[in-house]
Amino acid sequence: MNYSEIMVRYGELSTKGKNRRVFINQLAQNVKRTLAAFPDIKIHADRDRMHLLLNGSDSQAVMPLLQKVFGIQNFSPSIRVEKELESIKEIALALVKERYQTGMTFKITAKRSDHNFELDTHGLNLLLGNAVVDTFPGIQAQMRKPDIDLRVEIRLDGAYLSCETLKGAGGLPVGTSGRGMLMLSGGIDSPVAGYLAMKRGVEIEAVHFASPPYTSEQALQKAKDLTEKLAPYAGSIQFIEVPFTEIQEEIKKSVPEGYWMTITRRFMLRLTDLIREQRKGLVIINGESLGQVASQTLPSMVAINEVTATPIIRPVVTMDKTEIIEIAEEIDTFQLAIQPFEDCCTIFAPPQPKTRPKLEKVLAYEERLDVVGMIERSLAGLKIEEVKVGKKEAEFADFF
Ligand code: ATP
Ligand code: MG
């Protein structure tokens, strides 16, 4: 079937009162960016619904991408016809025919916002119901959970028919909650953390620490690939590569082994916070999960967090690894994340990091370092690139 539009129903927007317009505009912008590979699509955003006029674009290719846009409750591919009973009937029968198999049940739900239309909803239900029964002998009407659920809407500009409602991603449109810096490693947890922050409307920028030549080109590419997996949820994501080699070498040289990890993390957090400030972010997001490793005990978090008062959002902090993996699989970051490339933490990881670092000691060891200079030099070498929705992603309709 050649669908003429996809009708989108908003998610939690309905509770946002005065901000509603802001939310709808942001959602429209996000949809446009996510569907950039389909320039013919026109977006009409009303108060209650958004209509994507396909203008010949393939709905089967569009829908898997649309399912990644936050702020959408669900959507239905629809066909628009003139408001004439004969045309409506013809398309209704064609839609049922496409799906009908012996023994199936159906239901017609008519709605109309054009009250001048010749039939009311009851009349339409009856007319179309009878036509279906006459055409498909043996088909039964059923109000609860019918196999074929045909919706007909009579609007001012035409009649819209659809048979399918697909679940959207829920959440809030990315950008409506402000911006945050995601500390993105190449692991399982941080991409999930980024996904969950975006789900609640946070626009993220990915901050990745790389320590060449100790970390490889592949490890860096993996972090970019993970970012690309997250891009369809946002349209595009800025990827910020932070040079971290000198800092790690200095720490290794001057700090006792047990404190490498704590002090390394403090540098990461300081740098992320300064980048956040430069780039007008409000918060930092990371993939810490309580108790997972030495750096993620509460005493460790306290010692690391001491370098900033900026709120740190830790979306997976209370999740079990299995729960995090489940989401990673859903968003297709898991397979990438388990590729075995050393990242900067594994290489400089001491055999026995302190799980209860003492702040006095941390501060004393940092006295030995040129903290300001190390940070300055690192910031001077930032590399920033925009990671867009991958071509593969846009062309590959793997849901249908
Ligand atoms: P992940 O699976 O996200 O790598 P992890 O379980 O390996 O997490 P750690 O390596 O202790 O845990 O990292 C904790 C958090 O610190 C990560 O989730 C991430 O937010 C941040 N982080 C660690 N390494 C880096 C890095 N190289 N670049 C940016 N952020 C990092
Ligand atoms: Mg890691």
Side-chain angles (χ1 to χ4, degrees), residues 21-264:
R21 198 67 238 174
V22 175
F23 278 64
I24 292 172
N25 288 346
Q26 181 76 57
L27 181 64
Q29 204 182 315
N30 295 354
V31 167
K32 194 168 174 188
R33 289 202 323 182
T34 298
L35 300 181
F38 304 91
D40 295 332
I41 295 179
K42 290 275 168 302
I43 301 174
H44 284 297
D46 297 343
R47 243 191 88 75
D48 303 304
R49 304 278 171 81
M50 181 179 294
H51 303 281
L52 307 184
L53 310 180
L54 291 171
N55 291 317
S57 300
D58 179 7
S59 59
Q60 299 301 310
V62 170
M63 288 193 286
L65 285 173
L66 203 56
Q67 275 182 316
K68 297 190 170 175
V69 181
F70 292 121
I72 293 178
Q73 178 130 31
N74 59 41
F75 57 87
S76 305
S78 317
I79 298 175
R80 194 190 89 91
V81 292
E82 293 308 316
K83 287 188 286 185
E84 297 158 4
L85 290 176
E86 272 318 301
S87 328
I88 296 173
K89 206 159 86 180
E90 186 189 326
I91 295 295
L93 292 174
L95 278 169
V96 175
K97 184 165 181 223
E98 206 178 54
R99 289 169 177 75
Y100 181 65
Q101 289 167 11
T102 315
M104 278 189 170
T105 57
F106 82 106
K107 172 185 174 184
I108 311 268
T109 310
K111 264 191 186 174
R112 56 171 196 170
S113 44
D114 172 9
H115 291 279
N116 294 322
F117 188 66
E118 54 190 293
L119 288 181
D120 62 10
T121 54
H122 180 68
L124 262 170
N125 284 339
L126 210 61
L127 177 94
L128 297 174
N130 284 335
V132 170
V133 170
D134 289 346
T135 314
F136 304 92
I139 197 169
Q140 295 274 332
Q142 179 169 305
M143 293 305 109
R144 277 187 47 123
K145 299 207 170 167
D147 298 312
I148 300 170
D149 191 359
L150 178 64
R151 289 160 193 269
V152 181
E153 275 195 51
I154 308 296
R155 288 189 228 141
L156 288 178
D157 67 327
Y160 290 79
L161 292 88
S162 69
C163 254
E164 246 186 309
T165 299
L166 289 104
K167 206 164 173 292
L172 301 172
V174 172
T176 54
S177 298
R179 178 177 302 158
M181 299 291 130
L182 169 67
M183 299 174 72
L184 181 83
S185 63
I188 297 168
D189 305 327
S190 42
V192 171
Y195 163 80
L196 291 172
M198 285 193 284
K199 184 159 195 245
R200 296 310 298 169
V202 182
E203 177 199 346
I204 60 166
E205 296 192 343
V207 177
H208 177 75
F209 296 88
S211 304
Y214 306 105
T215 58
S216 61
E217 195 52 44
Q218 286 107 305
L220 176 65
Q221 189 55 46
K222 177 179 166 186
K224 288 183 188 172
D225 290 347
L226 286 167
T227 306
E228 193 175 311
K229 289 283 182 193
L230 296 178
Y233 300 100
S236 71
I237 296 175
Q238 300 296 325
F239 182 90
I240 303 164
E241 179 191 340
V242 189
F244 207 52
T245 313
E246 185 206 331
I247 292 175
Q248 292 208 287
E249 285 175 341
E250 287 300 314
I251 291 174
K252 198 169 172 176
K253 223 185 308 170
S254 312
V255 172
E257 238 178 51
Y259 277 82
W260 286 356
M261 187 271 304
T262 310
I263 292 181
T264 305

Side-chain angles (χ1 to χ4, degrees), residues 266-281:
R266 285 166 59 93
F267 271 92
M268 281 190 182
L269 193 52
R270 283 188 183 102
L271 282 162
T272 307
D273 204 28
L274 289 164
I275 296 167
R276 174 200 63 75
E277 208 176 299
Q278 278 179 11
R279 303 183 62 84
K280 307 204 173 17

